[in-house]
Structure formats: structure tokens, C-alpha cells
Amino acid sequence: MEPLRRLTHGELSLAMKLANLETFVHLARLRHFGRTAKHLNTTQPAISSRLAALERELGVQLIAREGREFHLTPAGHEALRVIEKMLGDFDGLKLGFTDPENVAITLRIGAIDAIVQTWLPRLYDRLRQTYPGVQIEIVTDSTVNLLHHMKNGELDITFCLDPILEEGYRSFVVCSYAMSWVGSPKLVDEDRIYTVAELGTMPLITFQRGSPPYRMIAPYFQDESVLASQLSNSNSLPTMIRLAMDGFGIAAVPTIVVEKELDSGDLASVQVNKPFPPLTFIASYHPVPGSLLTERVAELAKRTAAEFCSETVPGLAWVDYNLR
């Protein structure tokens, strides 16, 4: 181990200026002094001090405060654009000089159940092989909760069903999965083709209220009243599948996730005269300073998902390159 050495005045000054720049970018993203301080493992006075130092250095006001709220000034928006590019280039330079085995970073990934049960393990394995020094945290939750965690700076990248449509975030379509209505063989007649009206009279097991798949239920049935019928909700895909297997209702789920259960006869496919729309999965991330791996993880996720889809039965999972 190399002995510790005292930083020179020039090195200390550079480190302080980089800290000021990084603090401004995080503050512009999180829009909260307390969350920014927590994310950077420092105090709110330190955040205010770094911001003030950067404003003095540039000679402009970057943030306009209105009570507890604040917004970026026009100069702040322009500075953010330039500083993000500067820090991104600097991070890329550092990563280019870094031995992958020596990268000591925590990568926080958020994903919904459908991704966890399909190609996320493959992505995890590749990340472990490429960056053995990286600590990987995986959070499985609903789309609503994952995006909330992302906005609060608690996740680096998410794979869910909605994008983050806010300044500074990047989102792209990863893949799409076909959906099937499934239920217990005791409840479903596999030789029968059900109409939408007939499905509406059966007990339904759906995703969490407010989630993208839940919002698709009423348009599918063309009747809002179905939402007040025999409807059960869950934010867990495995729970939905278990309830369907045990005969508590039918559920619209990604077909690729229940292939084994359909093959074994634990679940039966409900033949319908109107297919349920496919689910499209979206990755979102914020290329902030210090997240050296995020861009590379995003690219690796694209390749991993595309490879997985190419290996599946045609029509179950696919990548639409026109949407990427």
C-alpha cells in the first residue's frame, strides 16, 4: 500500500472546485438541499457553501430561492449544461485509465419483477465479471416506487414501465413482452375462446393501482365499471402468479415469465378474442458526476436485453429498434 501524502495547494484547489461543480449538478437534479447533503455524505451548510463558492467563481446567480423552494436561473440552466458535459468528459477520462478490477463503486439498480425474472440475472453476471470490484445493490419494487427512489438520488438506473420525463434524465426503451391471460386449469376452459365481456365477469388479479398495466385494464374492457368488480391488486408479479395458480382469478402477465407454469399445467392460458396489449420496459438514469459506470451499464443492458429477446420463442419478447 502506498503511503499517504499531503495534497499540494494546487491539488486541493482542484479537488475543491470539482466538489463545487459536482454539488451543483446533484443539487440541480435532486432540487433539495437536505437530500443533496445526504447523497454526498455531507451537511446542508457545506452544500450552501459550495454553491456560493461556485457562484462567486462564475460571477452569476445559479439558483433563485423562493422560501423552501428554488429553481435554476437562466444562467443556472446554461451552467448546468456545460458543467454536466465537463464532468462527464472527466469521468470518462478517469474510467478509461482505471483497471476494471480496481473500480470501487456501489452500483444501485432498480427493477420490476418482470425484468428480475428474465434477463437481469444475466446482466448482473456480466457486471460481476467485468467489474469484480463493484458492489451491486438491486432493489425490486413497483414502477411508481422505483421512479420515486431515482428522483431522490437513491438509485443509479431503473428498469420499469414508465420513463422519467424531467430535465437531465435519459430514458430509452429496452424491450417489450407479450401478455397472456392465465388462470388455474380448474377455473379456465382451455378449449374455449373467451370474449372480453366474459372475462369481465371473472375474478381478476391485476397489478398495483395506478401502475401502467393497471391503467390498461379499463381501456381493454372498454368499461370503467370493471375496475369496481371482482378485482384484486398486487405490486408483486410472483404473488399475482401464485394467486392465479391457486384459482383466485385470472391475471394478465408477461407470457415469458410463466412459460414453465404453462408447460407444467400449473397454469392454463386463457384464449381470448382480443389480445392484451404488450408491456414495454424502459430504462432511466441520470448521468451525474461520480457515476462512472452508469453509461456503460445502460449500454450493456441494451445488449443483454436484445440478446435475451433473440433467444426466446418468436412473439414473446422483442426489441423495437425504432423506439430506441
Side-chain angles (χ1 to χ4, degrees):
M1 180 180 294
E2 295 184 2
L4 296 175
R5 65 180 180 85
R6 186 183 300 274
L7 292 175
T8 66
H9 177 75
E11 290 172 327
L12 185 59
S13 177
L14 175 60
M16 291 175 63
K17 288 183 178 180
L18 282 174
N20 295 343
L21 296 174
E22 292 175 351
T23 296
F24 172 62
V25 173
H26 283 291
L27 188 60
R29 173 196 177 193
L30 297 175
R31 301 299 173 99
H32 194 280
F33 280 80
R35 286 198 295 267
T36 302
K38 181 180 179 181
H39 185 74
L40 296 177
N41 195 29
T42 186
T43 64
Q44 291 190 45
I47 298 299
S48 297
S49 176
R50 293 176 187 178
L51 174 63
L54 181 59
E55 289 181 326
R56 287 196 302 270
E57 183 82 16
L58 296 178
V60 294
Q61 184 180 4
L62 301 175
I63 287 177
R65 302 176 189 246
E66 298 175 355
R68 294 186 177 182
E69 302 289 327
F70 70 83
H71 63 268
L72 297 183
T73 64
H77 283 288
E78 177 62 17
L80 179 63
R81 183 184 65 80
V82 174
I83 291 172
E84 281 187 324
K85 184 178 186 309
M86 289 171 52
L87 293 175
D89 291 342
F90 185 67
D91 282 348
L93 181 65
K94 286 196 296 183
L95 188 58
F97 290 142
T98 302
D99 182 346
E101 294 189 3
N102 295 326
V103 175
I105 297 174
T106 298
L107 177 66
R108 303 162 304 170
I109 300 174
I112 58 176
D113 287 318
I115 299 300
V116 173
Q117 295 189 39
T118 50
W119 53 263
L120 188 67
R122 187 180 303 193
L123 175 63
Y124 177 86
D125 182 54
R126 289 177 175 175
L127 287 171
R128 297 295 292 167
Q129 291 182 29
T130 307
Y131 304 104
V134 172
Q135 293 186 356
I136 302 174
E137 297 178 1
I138 296 178
V139 175
T140 304
D141 211 328
S142 66
T143 290
V144 173
N145 291 340
L146 290 176
L147 296 186
H148 175 74
H149 293 322
M150 169 70 84
K151 292 177 183 178
N152 284 342
E154 299 165 0
L155 293 172
D156 298 307
I157 188 167
T158 59
F159 302 106
C160 52
L161 294 169
D162 277 335
I164 299 183
L165 301 176
E166 294 185 11
E167 183 179 4
Y169 289 90
R170 297 179 185 174
S171 297
F172 60 89
V173 173
V174 187
C175 60
S176 298
Y177 290 169
M179 300 284 281
S180 291
W181 287 101
V182 297
S184 167
K186 299 177 183 178
L187 187 66
V188 174
D189 183 353
E190 293 189 79
D191 296 325
R192 175 180 174 185
I193 299 179
Y194 291 80
T195 65
V196 171
E198 289 171 331
L199 288 183
T201 65
M202 303 174 73
L204 304 178
I205 303 166
T206 71
F207 288 87
Q208 182 182 23
R209 291 181 183 274
S211 66
Y214 180 85
R215 297 196 299 265
M216 296 161 68
I217 290 291
Y220 176 82
F221 287 97
Q222 298 180 332
D223 185 0
E224 291 284 348
S225 66
V226 74
L227 298 179
S229 63
Q230 304 177 66
L231 199 65
S232 301
N233 309 99
S234 176
N235 67 348
S236 166
L237 180 58
T239 299
M240 291 175 58
I241 294 171
R242 183 74 254 178
L243 290 173
M245 289 172 58
D246 289 345
F248 289 103
I250 61 171
V253 299
T255 314
I256 198 167
V257 175
V258 290
E259 281 188 295
K260 292 181 180 178
E261 289 79 3
L262 291 171
D263 289 342
S264 66
D266 291 327
L267 279 175
S269 179
V270 184
Q271 297 189 66
V272 293
N273 62 358
K274 179 182 178 182
F276 197 83
L279 288 186
T280 296
F281 301 93
I282 299 172
S284 295
Y285 66 98
H286 193 293
V288 296
S291 300
L292 303 179
L293 293 178
T294 307
E295 292 277 0
R296 295 192 178 187
V297 171
E299 289 301 319
L300 187 57
K302 287 181 183 180
R303 296 197 300 270
T304 303
E307 179 185 275
F308 173 82
C309 291
S310 69
E311 297 172 357
T312 64
V313 175
L316 294 189
W318 62 90
V319 175
D320 188 343
Y321 292 96
N322 294 323
L323 299 177
R324 302 183 74 163

